[in-house]
Amino acid sequence: MRHERSFAALGHRVLAGCDEVGRGALAGPVSVGLVAVHLESVRALKGVRDSKLLTPADRQALVPKIKKWCPAWGVGHASAAEIDLLGLMGALRLAGTRAWTQVSETLIPDVVLLDGNHNWLSPELQGSLFDEPDEVDDAACTAPVHTRIKADMTCLSVAAASVLAKVERDEMMVQYAAEHPAYGWEINKGYATEAHRAAIDTLGPSPLHRLSWRLGTARSPQDGPAAGPLGG
């Protein structure tokens, strides 16, 4: 919590750590975790680290501990169809807004620490006075957002957010695998394994694939997006 506590010297009281999972998958949602802490009273939480460094069993065991440790948390998702519609950055912002809304029902953070080097969480500035207001942005993050590369490995609040998001998204992909068993989502969680791409080559994409992405092994960037989802 060393880096998080440095924000207390700037007058901040409630910080939210934020991280995403599923950015590079071919199928399923992008998911954003947000974990809020009181900077004056927060204590360490043993065992929490970047979700990619933990086993599935360890992540599962940490979820109730994290939820008990922090005063507010949220996980938001944006579907594959929303990724195709909005683009990846827009979908991340949408998922982050959904997580922010959940946290804000309990308390409103006055600063956000976001993993990475790009602030995709804050709403985009309105381009013109004549533009229609964005309905999603009305509920979007209102706090200043500070980015930090590898924050999920060095900041406890961000690591905790990554664990919550990873566990929720993995559970969703296992459920989706029961509906679409040929793609192996219970194992690959929608990521681009060789077997996953080969299944897309054979069967075509499902309704849960990101159709604007290069999906199968036989496709190249010049091929453009996939032809359409299997089953509608």
Side-chain angles (χ1 to χ4, degrees), residues 63-75:
V63 167
K65 296 179 181 179
I66 292 170
K67 292 179 178 179
K68 183 178 180 180
W69 171 74
C70 67
W73 60 273
V75 178

Side-chain angles (χ1 to χ4, degrees), residues 20-227:
E20 57 76 24
V21 297
R23 179 193 293 251
L26 303 180
V30 288
S31 303
V32 174
L34 202 68
V35 168
V37 295
H38 291 292
L39 290 172
E40 292 183 356
S41 58
V42 64
R43 297 180 179 275
L45 182 61
K46 186 177 180 180
V48 176
R49 62 189 70 185
D50 176 16
S51 63
K52 296 185 292 293
L53 303 178
L54 297 166
T55 67
D58 287 339
R59 289 194 293 265
Q60 288 279 0
L62 284 170
V63 167
K65 296 179 181 179
I66 292 170
K67 292 179 178 179
K68 183 178 180 180
W69 171 74
C70 67
W73 60 273
V75 178
H77 310 278
S79 69
E82 289 170 328
I83 295 170
D84 290 334
L85 178 66
L86 301 173
L88 182 59
M89 293 299 105
L92 284 169
R93 187 175 300 112
L94 178 59
T97 296
R98 289 166 174 165
W100 174 267
T101 299
Q102 295 170 35
V103 171
S104 297
E105 291 175 355
T106 302
L107 81 171
I108 299 179
D110 51 29
V111 66
V112 175
L113 179 58
L114 177 65
D115 180 58
N117 61 3
H118 174 66
N119 175 16
W120 44 257
L121 179 62
S122 296
E124 291 182 314
L125 295 176
Q126 188 169 314
S128 164
L129 292 174
F130 301 101
D131 288 345
E132 290 293 326
D134 190 334
E135 188 173 303
V136 172
D137 285 349
D138 290 343
C141 173
T142 56
V145 175
H146 295 259
T147 60
R148 181 176 173 87
I149 296 174
K150 301 294 184 182
D152 52 357
M153 301 182 72
T154 59
C155 301
L156 178 57
S157 65
V158 178
S162 77
V163 170
L164 296 186
K166 175 68 173 169
V167 170
E168 275 207 19
R169 187 183 183 280
D170 282 0
E171 289 175 348
M172 292 173 69
M173 294 310 297
V174 170
Q175 293 171 8
Y176 293 151
E179 303 168 13
H180 303 277
Y183 301 101
W185 292 337
E186 73 282 3
I187 298 171
N188 61 51
K189 305 303 188 292
Y191 286 92
T193 65
E194 183 177 349
H196 187 186
R197 287 195 186 275
I200 298 169
D201 284 342
T202 302
L203 301 171
S206 77
L208 297 175
H209 279 97
R210 302 173 185 179
L211 300 181
S212 57
W213 292 39
R214 187 174 72 87
L215 295 175
T217 59
R219 301 194 66 79
S220 70
Q222 289 73 32
D223 294 327

